[in-house]
Amino acid sequence: MANHTIACLSNLMQGLAVGTNLALLHFMFMLVSGALLPNRGAIFPALKSIGLSEGATRRAWAAFRKGVWQMPALLLLWCEQVKQMPGWQEHRYEGYRPITADVTAFWRPALKNCPSKHYHPAANRALPAVIMGITGEVGEIHGQRIALPRAIERVHPKDTSEARLWQAVLQNAQKSLQDDEILIVDAGVKISDLQEAKIERYEIRLATNFTARRNYLPEHLKGRKPKYGALIRPLPRQHKSKTLPASASDETYTWSENGRELRAEIWRDLVLNKTLPSENNQTIDVYAIYDPDFDKPWLLSTPLKLKPESVRAIYKDRWPVEQIPLSAKQMIGAHRQFVHNAHSIQRLPELALLAGSILTFLAATIPASPTGFWDRKPKRTPGRLRRTLIGKPFPQDAILPWQLREKKSATAHLPKGHLARQLGNARKTNSSTPSPA
């Protein structure tokens, strides 16, 4: 399994600069193998634990910290590599391919001058965190749904709020969204945000208290003429001791799935609450899908005319994007991070998310390994694969492509370690000191 992992990582890294590619291969193997877990997030001990020499450990750190590589290029190579696999199948519903987007956070409560914050449900407040936006396309391999990360977004350097990050995620998704693709987002995004980003094909989960309006004025009988369309409330709402009833649906649709009977109530051609009726308005359809396996109905919305079965299946394809940060943080141990440089605190989460995607893919393509004798029916999960790889050294006998090699540069005359840092700080001090007049 270690050799298969090395082969997958080698194909991804061989296009990078000589020297950087081999060093970053070592770093990525350290992440995928879960070496950060027993070392509690410490990078140098984790690199040493996979059998690297002191020089290789320094080179791996330098490739991570200052290496000439860009995350968009690595993601593009990774997506192309997976799509070339014979077992890869993309998902399509009524001709549309689902593209999912989400935001995740790497908590850094002790980091000074942390660039951003994110709400923590246990603390019931926003805590310092490095937040990342993820956009991925959904497919399956060997019967397992996975999301291939298409883009990983950092926060804006001047506006580090989560709202600004979502704005960047939606804008970049709109630029890359093809005519046969539909964007899927959760309730953390509003329909108005999607419309402002000029995204024409999307599906969003709505809050249970969501309301909308008809795109035409109601009949005027007496009093002031109405300005907005009639209010539509898809689900009943409890306000103090009074229950506000749900509005009657335009359509009702039922179907059977895996022996269960599902029901959908549909409201067509609605507009947002503060939108005046007009023929030029962007209208939406709202679906309330009742599933006996869930206590509450799913309230979904899309501007496309789709069947309820497709609407439900498309939203289910949003869930695989949650697997990427789960594998990146809890599975490989990147939830603890101790880098402090302004560049490194962004690069480490990016590489961790890529490693989480690679670990999920490898787990789906390698035969499942049982955790122990009690694991009689093991499944192909990233946790089981990580248990198999953890503690394994980097295979020195692995056959690597000729591009992956150490760069033979003359470095004996250069200072190293603490002396190099002292000299670097002295140069910065001298360059900032003004010369005498």
CSV table of all heavy atoms in Angstrom, one decimal, residues 43-73:
chain,number,residue,atom,x,y,z
A,43,ILE,N,5.9,19.3,12.8
A,43,ILE,CA,6.3,18.9,11.4
A,43,ILE,C,7.6,18.2,11.4
A,43,ILE,O,7.8,17.1,10.8
A,43,ILE,CB,6.2,20.1,10.5
A,43,ILE,CG1,4.8,20.6,10.3
A,43,ILE,CG2,6.8,19.8,9.1
A,43,ILE,CD1,4.6,21.8,9.4
A,44,PHE,N,8.6,18.8,12.1
A,44,PHE,CA,10.0,18.2,12.0
A,44,PHE,C,10.0,16.8,12.6
A,44,PHE,O,10.6,15.8,11.9
A,44,PHE,CB,11.0,19.1,12.7
A,44,PHE,CG,11.5,20.2,11.8
A,44,PHE,CD1,10.9,21.5,11.9
A,44,PHE,CD2,12.5,20.0,10.9
A,44,PHE,CE1,11.3,22.5,11.1
A,44,PHE,CE2,12.9,21.0,10.0
A,44,PHE,CZ,12.3,22.3,10.2
A,45,PRO,N,9.5,16.5,13.8
A,45,PRO,CA,9.4,15.1,14.2
A,45,PRO,C,8.6,14.2,13.3
A,45,PRO,O,9.0,13.0,13.2
A,45,PRO,CB,8.8,15.2,15.6
A,45,PRO,CG,9.0,16.6,16.0
A,45,PRO,CD,9.0,17.4,14.8
A,46,ALA,N,7.6,14.7,12.7
A,46,ALA,CA,6.8,13.9,11.8
A,46,ALA,C,7.6,13.5,10.6
A,46,ALA,O,7.5,12.3,10.1
A,46,ALA,CB,5.5,14.6,11.4
A,47,LEU,N,8.4,14.4,10.0
A,47,LEU,CA,9.2,14.1,8.9
A,47,LEU,C,10.3,13.1,9.3
A,47,LEU,O,10.7,12.2,8.5
A,47,LEU,CB,9.8,15.4,8.3
A,47,LEU,CG,8.9,16.4,7.6
A,47,LEU,CD1,9.6,17.7,7.3
A,47,LEU,CD2,8.4,15.8,6.3
A,48,LYS,N,10.9,13.3,10.4
A,48,LYS,CA,11.9,12.3,10.9
A,48,LYS,C,11.3,11.0,11.1
A,48,LYS,O,12.0,9.9,10.9
A,48,LYS,CB,12.6,12.8,12.1
A,48,LYS,CG,13.5,14.0,11.9
A,48,LYS,CD,14.8,13.6,11.2
A,48,LYS,CE,15.6,12.6,12.1
A,48,LYS,NZ,16.9,12.2,11.4
A,49,SER,N,10.1,10.9,11.5
A,49,SER,CA,9.5,9.6,11.8
A,49,SER,C,9.3,8.7,10.6
A,49,SER,O,9.0,7.5,10.7
A,49,SER,CB,8.1,9.8,12.6
A,49,SER,OG,7.2,10.3,11.7
A,50,ILE,N,9.3,9.3,9.4
A,50,ILE,CA,9.1,8.5,8.2
A,50,ILE,C,10.4,8.0,7.6
A,50,ILE,O,10.5,7.6,6.5
A,50,ILE,CB,8.3,9.2,7.1
A,50,ILE,CG1,9.0,10.5,6.6
A,50,ILE,CG2,6.9,9.5,7.6
A,50,ILE,CD1,8.3,11.1,5.4
A,51,GLY,N,11.5,8.2,8.4
A,51,GLY,CA,12.8,7.7,8.0
A,51,GLY,C,13.7,8.6,7.2
A,51,GLY,O,14.6,8.2,6.5
A,52,LEU,N,13.4,9.9,7.2
A,52,LEU,CA,14.2,10.9,6.4
A,52,LEU,C,15.4,11.3,7.2
A,52,LEU,O,15.4,11.3,8.4
A,52,LEU,CB,13.4,12.1,6.1
A,52,LEU,CG,12.1,12.0,5.2
A,52,LEU,CD1,11.5,13.3,4.9
A,52,LEU,CD2,12.4,11.2,3.9
A,53,SER,N,16.5,11.6,6.4
A,53,SER,CA,17.7,12.1,7.0
A,53,SER,C,17.5,13.5,7.4
A,53,SER,O,16.5,14.1,7.1
A,53,SER,CB,18.9,11.9,6.0
A,53,SER,OG,18.6,12.7,4.9
A,54,GLU,N,18.5,14.0,8.1
A,54,GLU,CA,18.4,15.4,8.6
A,54,GLU,C,18.3,16.4,7.3
A,54,GLU,O,17.6,17.3,7.3
A,54,GLU,CB,19.5,15.8,9.5
A,54,GLU,CG,19.5,15.1,10.8
A,54,GLU,CD,20.6,15.5,11.7
A,54,GLU,OE1,21.4,16.4,11.3
A,54,GLU,OE2,20.7,15.0,12.9
A,55,GLY,N,19.2,16.1,6.3
A,55,GLY,CA,19.1,16.9,5.1
A,55,GLY,C,17.8,16.8,4.4
A,55,GLY,O,17.3,17.8,3.9
A,56,ALA,N,17.3,15.6,4.3
A,56,ALA,CA,16.0,15.5,3.6
A,56,ALA,C,14.9,16.1,4.3
A,56,ALA,O,13.9,16.7,3.8
A,56,ALA,CB,15.7,14.0,3.3
A,57,THR,N,15.0,16.1,5.7
A,57,THR,CA,13.9,16.7,6.5
A,57,THR,C,14.0,18.3,6.3
A,57,THR,O,12.9,18.9,6.1
A,57,THR,CB,14.2,16.4,8.0
A,57,THR,OG1,14.1,15.0,8.2
A,57,THR,CG2,13.2,17.1,8.9
A,58,ARG,N,15.2,18.8,6.2
A,58,ARG,CA,15.3,20.3,6.0
A,58,ARG,C,14.8,20.6,4.6
A,58,ARG,O,14.1,21.6,4.4
A,58,ARG,CB,16.7,20.7,6.1
A,58,ARG,CG,17.3,20.7,7.6
A,58,ARG,CD,18.6,21.5,7.7
A,58,ARG,NE,19.2,21.4,9.0
A,58,ARG,CZ,20.1,20.5,9.3
A,58,ARG,NH1,20.6,19.7,8.4
A,58,ARG,NH2,20.6,20.5,10.6
A,59,ARG,N,15.1,19.8,3.6
A,59,ARG,CA,14.7,20.1,2.2
A,59,ARG,C,13.1,20.0,2.1
A,59,ARG,O,12.5,20.7,1.4
A,59,ARG,CB,15.3,19.1,1.3
A,59,ARG,CG,16.8,19.4,1.1
A,59,ARG,CD,17.4,18.6,-0.1
A,59,ARG,NE,17.4,17.2,0.2
A,59,ARG,CZ,18.4,16.6,0.8
A,59,ARG,NH1,19.5,17.3,1.2
A,59,ARG,NH2,18.4,15.3,1.0
A,60,ALA,N,12.5,19.0,2.8
A,60,ALA,CA,11.1,18.9,2.8
A,60,ALA,C,10.4,20.1,3.4
A,60,ALA,O,9.4,20.6,2.9
A,60,ALA,CB,10.6,17.6,3.5
A,61,TRP,N,11.0,20.6,4.5
A,61,TRP,CA,10.5,21.8,5.1
A,61,TRP,C,10.6,23.0,4.2
A,61,TRP,O,9.7,23.8,4.1
A,61,TRP,CB,11.2,22.0,6.5
A,61,TRP,CG,10.9,23.4,7.0
A,61,TRP,CD1,11.8,24.5,6.9
A,61,TRP,CD2,9.8,23.8,7.7
A,61,TRP,NE1,11.2,25.6,7.5
A,61,TRP,CE2,10.0,25.2,8.0
A,61,TRP,CE3,8.6,23.2,8.1
A,61,TRP,CZ2,9.0,26.0,8.7
A,61,TRP,CZ3,7.6,24.0,8.8
A,61,TRP,CH2,7.9,25.4,9.0
A,62,ALA,N,11.8,23.1,3.6
A,62,ALA,CA,12.0,24.2,2.7
A,62,ALA,C,11.1,24.2,1.5
A,62,ALA,O,10.6,25.2,1.0
A,62,ALA,CB,13.4,24.2,2.2
A,63,ALA,N,10.8,23.0,1.0
A,63,ALA,CA,9.8,22.9,-0.2
A,63,ALA,C,8.4,23.3,0.2
A,63,ALA,O,7.7,23.9,-0.5
A,63,ALA,CB,9.8,21.4,-0.7
A,64,PHE,N,8.0,22.9,1.5
A,64,PHE,CA,6.7,23.3,2.0
A,64,PHE,C,6.7,24.8,2.2
A,64,PHE,O,5.8,25.5,1.8
A,64,PHE,CB,6.4,22.6,3.3
A,64,PHE,CG,5.5,23.4,4.2
A,64,PHE,CD1,4.2,23.6,3.9
A,64,PHE,CD2,6.0,23.9,5.4
A,64,PHE,CE1,3.3,24.3,4.7
A,64,PHE,CE2,5.2,24.6,6.2
A,64,PHE,CZ,3.8,24.8,5.9
A,65,ARG,N,7.7,25.4,2.8
A,65,ARG,CA,7.7,26.8,3.2
A,65,ARG,C,8.0,27.7,2.1
A,65,ARG,O,7.3,28.7,1.9
A,65,ARG,CB,8.8,26.9,4.3
A,65,ARG,CG,9.1,28.4,4.7
A,65,ARG,CD,8.0,29.1,5.4
A,65,ARG,NE,8.3,30.4,5.7
A,65,ARG,CZ,8.3,31.4,4.9
A,65,ARG,NH1,7.8,31.3,3.7
A,65,ARG,NH2,8.6,32.7,5.3
A,66,LYS,N,9.0,27.4,1.2
A,66,LYS,CA,9.5,28.4,0.2
A,66,LYS,C,9.5,27.8,-1.2
A,66,LYS,O,10.0,28.4,-2.1
A,66,LYS,CB,10.8,28.9,0.5
A,66,LYS,CG,10.9,29.6,1.9
A,66,LYS,CD,12.4,30.1,2.2
A,66,LYS,CE,12.5,30.8,3.5
A,66,LYS,NZ,13.9,31.3,3.8
A,67,GLY,N,9.0,26.6,-1.4
A,67,GLY,CA,9.1,25.9,-2.7
A,67,GLY,C,8.2,26.7,-3.7
A,67,GLY,O,7.2,27.3,-3.4
A,68,VAL,N,8.7,26.6,-5.0
A,68,VAL,CA,8.0,27.2,-6.1
A,68,VAL,C,6.9,26.2,-6.6
A,68,VAL,O,7.2,25.4,-7.5
A,68,VAL,CB,9.0,27.6,-7.2
A,68,VAL,CG1,8.3,28.3,-8.3
A,68,VAL,CG2,10.1,28.5,-6.6
A,69,TRP,N,5.8,26.3,-6.0
A,69,TRP,CA,4.6,25.5,-6.5
A,69,TRP,C,3.4,26.3,-6.1
A,69,TRP,O,3.4,27.1,-5.2
A,69,TRP,CB,4.6,24.1,-5.8
A,69,TRP,CG,4.7,24.2,-4.3
A,69,TRP,CD1,5.8,24.1,-3.5
A,69,TRP,CD2,3.6,24.3,-3.4
A,69,TRP,NE1,5.5,24.1,-2.2
A,69,TRP,CE2,4.1,24.3,-2.1
A,69,TRP,CE3,2.2,24.4,-3.5
A,69,TRP,CZ2,3.3,24.4,-0.9
A,69,TRP,CZ3,1.4,24.5,-2.4
A,69,TRP,CH2,2.0,24.5,-1.1
A,70,GLN,N,2.3,26.1,-6.9
A,70,GLN,CA,1.1,26.7,-6.7
A,70,GLN,C,0.0,25.7,-6.5
A,70,GLN,O,-0.1,24.7,-7.2
A,70,GLN,CB,0.8,27.6,-7.9
A,70,GLN,CG,1.8,28.7,-8.2
A,70,GLN,CD,1.9,29.8,-7.1
A,70,GLN,OE1,0.9,30.0,-6.4
A,70,GLN,NE2,3.0,30.3,-6.9
A,71,MET,N,-0.9,26.0,-5.6
A,71,MET,CA,-2.0,25.0,-5.3
A,71,MET,C,-2.9,24.8,-6.5
A,71,MET,O,-3.4,23.7,-6.7
A,71,MET,CB,-2.8,25.5,-4.1
A,71,MET,CG,-3.9,24.5,-3.6
A,71,MET,SD,-3.4,22.8,-3.4
A,71,MET,CE,-2.1,23.0,-2.1
A,72,PRO,N,-3.3,25.9,-7.2
A,72,PRO,CA,-4.2,25.6,-8.4
A,72,PRO,C,-3.6,24.7,-9.4
A,72,PRO,O,-4.4,23.8,-10.0
A,72,PRO,CB,-4.4,27.0,-9.0
A,72,PRO,CG,-4.2,28.0,-7.9
A,72,PRO,CD,-3.1,27.3,-7.0
A,73,ALA,N,-2.3,24.7,-9.6
A,73,ALA,CA,-1.7,23.8,-10.6
A,73,ALA,C,-1.7,22.4,-10.0
A,73,ALA,O,-2.0,21.4,-10.7
A,73,ALA,CB,-0.2,24.2,-10.8
